[in-house]
Amino acid sequence: MKATIETQGRQFIVTEGDVIFVNRYKDSQAGDTVTLDKVLCVGQGADTRFGAPYVEGANVAATILENKRDKKVVIHKMHRRMGYRRTTGHRQELSVIKIESINA
């Protein structure tokens, strides 16, 4: 069974057993269980149900495998002939979650 979920402003198409990377959930530890109740679409084939905007009574249970940081993104700023050069960086905080079950 497939489900289209929305979490933290992003949409994912998931099935049971999928591992996805999302923005870090605050105050979460590895091993915690997360229930995602913003399900936009659930089912497969002719048995698909669509929500308006969310399917009532449907949710997805997921387990947090780890919290980590993504690769560094380097930002360069420069104004030519002005002697202005700046280099900064950013590392996004991520949670790696595994989809355990889809309840429709």
Side-chain angles (χ1 to χ4, degrees):
M1 182 183 306
K2 287 185 177 181
T4 303
I5 60 171
E6 179 183 338
T7 178
Q8 300 168 337
R10 296 172 60 192
Q11 295 178 7
F12 299 93
I13 298 173
V14 296
T15 58
E16 291 183 11
D18 282 354
V19 175
I20 58 174
F21 296 90
V22 297
N23 291 334
R24 181 174 287 180
Y25 291 104
K26 292 187 178 190
D27 303 326
S28 66
Q29 302 294 324
D32 289 351
T33 302
V34 179
T35 302
L36 308 169
D37 57 351
K38 292 184 177 181
V39 179
L40 302 167
C41 169
V42 66
Q44 199 164 5
D47 197 29
T48 304
R49 292 184 6 211
F50 297 96
Y54 305 116
V55 178
E56 290 186 28
N59 61 20
V60 175
T63 303
I64 297 177
L65 299 179
E66 68 175 316
N67 290 323
K68 66 178 199 171
R69 298 178 78 188
D70 202 5
K71 291 190 284 187
K72 181 176 270 193
V73 178
V74 178
I75 298 104
H76 297 287
K77 295 181 181 180
M78 184 186 96
H79 295 172
R80 65 182 187 158
R81 297 189 302 266
M82 301 289 177
Y84 177 82
R85 286 173 174 73
R86 301 287 183 268
T87 302
T88 59
H90 174 75
R91 291 186 72 183
Q92 186 67 36
E93 303 280 332
L94 298 176
S95 288
V96 182
I97 64 172
K98 181 177 181 181
I99 306 300
E100 297 296 335
S101 64
I102 299 172
N103 307 314

